[in-house]
Amino acid sequence: RRAPCHSPRPLSKAARNCFSTRESADVSNADPAAMKPRRFMPSGPLRGTIRVPGDKSISHRSIMLGALAVGETRVTGLLEGEDVLSTAAAMRAMGASVERIGDSEWSVHGVGVGALLQPQAPLDMGNSGTSTRLLMGLVASHPITAQFIGDASLSKRPMGRVIEPLSQMGAAFAASEGGRLPLTVRGALPAVPITYRLPVASAQVKSAVLLAGLNTPGITTVIEPVPTRDHSERMLRGFGADLSVAVEADGTRVIRLVGEAELKPQTIEVPGDPSSAAFFIVAALIVPGSELTIQNVGLNPTRAGIVEVLRQMGGDITEVNRREVGGEPVADLVVRHSALKGIPVDPAIAPSMIDEFPALFVAASLAEGTTITTGLEELRVKESDRISVMAAALSGAGARVTETEDGLTIEGTGGEALRGTSNSRTKTHLDHRIAMSMAIAGLVSRDGVEVDDTRPIATSFPVFEALLDGLAQ
Ligand code: S3P
């Protein structure tokens, strides 16, 4: 059965027939026999100094923009996780040279804006929503047709949010039911510049439209009522694009990009990923006796909400050696075990910590009193439905959790260890952040927490288990 199509502008017969080569999503990694379960055991104090790998969002963007700049872009500190490798493979398939030249050190030779080549095979995005949505934007204004495929988790995620603005710019789409993968994009030449007001707070949608704007004559404008991570804006400017941001009285950001842009190659140092650091921040806060230094953590204000919320809960987190790395604020964090208190979390802070809620839910499960989170509908369309999956995972480990439509209400233990999972496995649903959050929960449990599959951790934080094992005695 061929997947039904969503096609604002009809595709050619040839493009529609792309689906016949690969009818459904690659679900091989959902194979139960291939899963890698692991029990994460209670831990003694976490002490020492660690460094987390490069920021995933910035790593994706450095490869994409490098691939559009003529000449060599050098990237150090690149996250060598599966998601970023999916982006690298896709940019290669569209003509750029993307090579690893050392440990986390990469060289990208770009083709120039407007010169992406027609990929000869479907672009396999694996588990990566960021690769998919941002690359859909790039393809949308190039005279090429690309098919996007992904794993079972990615194939459930909504792509309508990028299909809509990119269709307005002239691209044509044939998507599976509900605007999902596998889908085919046929780019428009010339694309039409639009003014687009984001209906959801999404850096991926914003970035998709801006990236499409690079090869679009005229001014592409994105209006962002709620600020989201601004790595695209910072890096586009760094590569020499004519991009301006005006902030209105109510905080709305109006981002204007002048096409057709010419990007100049750059040398980029990627700061450490605050979303990866979050697991170790929470771990050090909840494991008694811990004192952990986490070096080189990116603290861009559009990403640093987790540090603020954990401090509001009483977390002892000190910033030292504040500096700038790759145009982004960075510091080393010293985190000490703390008696956390439950709080109502202001929903306005959600966009600046959208990926950190699973880790926060673990902290809340061990805090004293009640933590109430609201306004988190977006969590339901991440790599898994992170509201219901974390509710099930934490309840299964003995935490007191109530699921609401848009968040979780958690009654903490006041520091007492969770029961853990003695004869059940926590289901992670191909979601790296669920696996890492529940691994951390296992550190403060009586029986340990068994996670059903640790493989997805490699999408964003391949050295997570090695770092944890090096600390947890
Ligand atoms: C990302 C944006 C966020 C985030 C994702 C990475 C990015 O998604 O959850 O992990 O790099 O732009 P949304 O834009 O969908 O909120």
Side-chain angles (χ1 to χ4, degrees), residues 41 75 160 178 232 243 374:
M41 297 306 288
V75 189
S232 295
L243 180 141
T374 51

Side-chain angles (χ1 to χ4, degrees), residues 44-50 280-294 316-318 320 333-338 471:
L46 306 178
R47 291 177 169 272
T49 299
I50 59 166
F280 285 95
I281 298 174
V282 169
L285 290 175
I286 63 176
V287 176
S290 298
E291 177 167 341
L292 188 63
T293 299
I294 311 169
D316 181 350
I317 307 170
T318 311
V320 292
L333 300 181
V334 181
V335 188
R336 293 182 188 86
H337 170 253
S338 307
L471 287 172

Side-chain angles (χ1 to χ4, degrees), residues 142 258 422:
H142 280 75
V258 181
S422 48

